[in-house]
Amino acid sequence: MNRILLIDDDKELCALIKKSVLQENIETDCCYLGKEGLIKLRDHKYQLVILDISMPELDGFEILERIRERYNLPVLTFLRAELSQRGFHIDYSDHVFIGNYRQSASISKR
């Protein structure tokens, strides 16, 4: 079974995404803090990470930098327009903006 990691402090959004992808037989682990997400990444194999940029403690950019240092997997980020310029300074070697839910979203993969 495919498995994704969702790192977002919005518990309602996490539940919604988890329910949606489970219908496609994709297992989802949810973490509400960046440090917790990094531990899950270390301990499990994922095909995709979904990451909120606006997070408490470690923000999404710090988490993304740590992911890029250690792993080679696609990262879908929830990114507000005013934060997008900062994201392009990190390793966003490939990105796509995909609509507007509550935030804009971009896909970054290595």
Side-chain angles (χ1 to χ4, degrees), residues 19 40 80:
K19 182 179 178 181
K40 287 269 191 188
R80 289 190 312 270

Side-chain angles (χ1 to χ4, degrees), residues 13-50:
L13 182 59
C14 287
L16 178 65
I17 293 172
K18 185 173 184 170
K19 182 179 178 181
S20 297
V21 298
L22 189 57
Q23 293 174 358
E24 301 298 325
N25 293 323
I26 299 171
E27 187 176 327
T28 305
D29 290 336
C30 295
C31 299
Y32 307 113
L33 294 172
K35 289 180 184 178
E36 179 186 2
L38 292 171
I39 291 169
K40 287 269 191 188
L41 264 173
R42 181 192 68 204
D43 295 342
H44 302 282
K45 183 175 175 143
Y46 296 98
Q47 284 70 45
L48 172 72
V49 175
I50 300 175

Side-chain angles (χ1 to χ4, degrees), residues 19-88:
K19 182 179 178 181
S20 297
V21 298
L22 189 57
Q23 293 174 358
E24 301 298 325
N25 293 323
I26 299 171
E27 187 176 327
T28 305
D29 290 336
C30 295
C31 299
Y32 307 113
L33 294 172
K35 289 180 184 178
E36 179 186 2
L38 292 171
I39 291 169
K40 287 269 191 188
L41 264 173
R42 181 192 68 204
D43 295 342
H44 302 282
K45 183 175 175 143
Y46 296 98
Q47 284 70 45
L48 172 72
V49 175
I50 300 175
L51 174 63
D52 181 19
I53 293 299
S54 299
M55 297 275 296
E57 295 181 13
L58 288 176
D59 72 19
F61 291 116
E62 294 170 293
I63 298 165
L64 181 59
E65 287 174 352
R66 292 182 187 191
I67 290 171
R68 290 290 173 245
E69 289 170 0
R70 296 180 181 97
Y71 307 98
N72 184 20
L73 33 102
V75 178
L76 170 72
T77 58
F78 294 112
L79 184 64
R80 289 190 312 270
E82 64 269 17
L83 296 174
S84 64
Q85 289 304 312
R86 181 174 171 201
F88 293 122

